Amino acid sequence: MSVHQPTLRFGVIGLGRAATSMVPSLAAHPFVRITACADPRPEARERFSADFGADAYANAEELCAAGNVDAVYIATPHQFHAEHTIMAADCGKHVIVEKPMALTLDACRTMIDAVDHAGVRLVVGHTHSFDPPILRMRQIIHSGKLGAVKMVNSWDYTNFLYRPRRPEELDTSLGGGIIFNQVPHQIDTVRLLAGGLVRSVRSATGIWDVQRPTEGAHATFLDFEDGAVATVSYSGYDHFDSDELYDWVGEGGSAKNPGGQAAARRELAAMAGQDEASLKAATGFGGARQRHRGDRAQDPSRHHPHFGLTIVSCERGDLRSAPDGVLIYGDEEQRFEPVPLGRTVPDKGRVVDELYDAVVQDKRPAHDGAWGRATLEVCLAILQSARERREIALSHQVPFRDE
Ligand SMILES: NC(=O)c1ccc[n+]([C@@H]2O[C@H](COP(=O)([O-])OP(=O)(O)OC[C@H]3O[C@@H](n4cnc5c(N)ncnc54)[C@H](O)[C@@H]3O)[C@@H](O)[C@H]2O)c1
């Protein structure tokens, strides 16, 4: 990109935990300016405005109507993704919407129609399929040097279920649990690596803690149209931590101390009686527990973000994402290919680049509405397969478009 590139003016809708993690990548982008924010929490608006000099609105409608906003990043709770995307598109704003794209395939269709009708661009993200080592693995696959993808395995073990939650985050019927919240990262990644076209899904899900009665684990088998297969597993029960297999680098790319296992469960138990939704809100902008992210670009201990162990087997070699690049295990040798680090920790810059390139260079985004809907279709099929104990055929899949 040259220095003469136009600037995209962004508004941020929803100033909670997700926004604290994405906004540094927006702020660090050379051709983005943050001009507005919206959230019903006054303390969040106040903090955000002070940090970024942005106009603040108490609701999404007013922000979408603002004249100094070209694009919005929507990080409101899942149930608002469709409404806010359609609202923004109707006002002529380009959109990055957080995962999951929506809670139903019909809602995804309506979002796609709204964006198409308005002639604006939509990117569904962040998911960890944007992580630079994953994108590099896709480039290696696309080069054809290792032959066709035959198998992908994705494993992640975290403390997800014991972080403070809003009530709806623990109710599957309202979009709660890992299948809507965490599994989109895995499905987006596995679909990107194996080409996108999942033929069928067989899954078992786990609801193992009666105090938190939503899915906290799954084991899923994906069959792709071209015969490739994938296994995808996740546990958020704060027992084993798969960062142990990732050189003790955490999801965001920061070094992590070993021995934190079960800490989230203990911390939550210690806060028993307090309102969990308020504890969660405290991690967003203006909250007492807001984490200061993105300001560690010079930190020597920083690495790429990741979502557990991801291994791809091709006809003539295996690929594995690593904290600083990609490991390639070929027929004759093993080698490590470093991948340059981004501007922030965690690095979500590729999501911003994808929308920017779509708007400024008229490039169709790879993670567009049809892509996001296909990933949601897999997630919904996981729930159905687990419920009915059978394989589910899919019909809304789209291929990944390599550059
Ligand atoms: N990609 C990632 O790595 C990642 C990480 C965390 C969350 N997320 C996604 O981001 C979304 C938000 O999750 P979170 O954990 O940040 O939740 P959160 O509760 O921490 O934040 C949500 C924010 O939205 C605000 N809000 C609620 N209703 C609103 C409305 N009608 N208009 C404007 N603002 C409103 C809340 O006040 C809050 O500040 C979810 O869909 C989640 O899946 C993505």
Side-chain angles (χ1 to χ4, degrees), residues 13-19 21 38-41 44 58-60 73-81 83-84 98-100 125-128 165-166 169 180-182 185 251 280-281 283-285 348:
I13 307 178
L15 305 177
R17 191 184 166 90
S21 155
D39 197 295
R41 291 185 302 116
N59 62 62
Y73 162 56
I74 298 170
T76 48
H78 309 342
Q79 63 270 29
F80 298 115
H81 289 182
E83 178 188 333
H84 289 157
E98 267 296 349
K99 55 76 196 163
H126 155 266
T127 67
H128 282 278
R165 296 283 161 210
R166 284 178 269 105
E169 292 183 285
F180 288 106
N181 204 312
Q182 296 287 275
H185 288 294
E251 179 181 343
K280 170 144 200 201
T283 62
F285 275 96
K348 297 187 173 179

Side-chain angles (χ1 to χ4, degrees), residues 39-60:
D39 197 295
R41 291 185 302 116
E43 70 277 15
R45 298 197 297 274
E46 207 169 291
R47 174 65 194 264
F48 194 94
S49 288
D51 286 356
F52 300 102
D55 297 339
Y57 301 97
N59 62 62

Side-chain angles (χ1 to χ4, degrees), residues 156-224:
D156 200 24
Y157 288 70
T158 74
N159 60 11
F160 175 84
L161 218 63
Y162 297 97
R163 301 173 198 158
R165 296 283 161 210
R166 284 178 269 105
E168 69 266 34
E169 292 183 285
L170 297 173
D171 181 341
T172 309
S173 71
L174 301 175
I178 63 155
I179 308 300
F180 288 106
N181 204 312
Q182 296 287 275
V183 175
H185 288 294
Q186 295 184 299
I187 301 303
D188 246 22
T189 301
V190 167
R191 287 186 57 237
L192 178 144
L193 293 168
L197 299 173
V198 184
R199 183 180 161 276
S200 71
V201 174
R202 178 69 174 95
S203 183
T205 58
I207 302 177
W208 300 337
D209 181 345
V210 290
Q211 304 298 322
R212 303 178 87 71
T214 187
E215 290 77 14
H218 80 118
T220 293
F221 182 82
L222 303 181
D223 186 14
F224 284 80

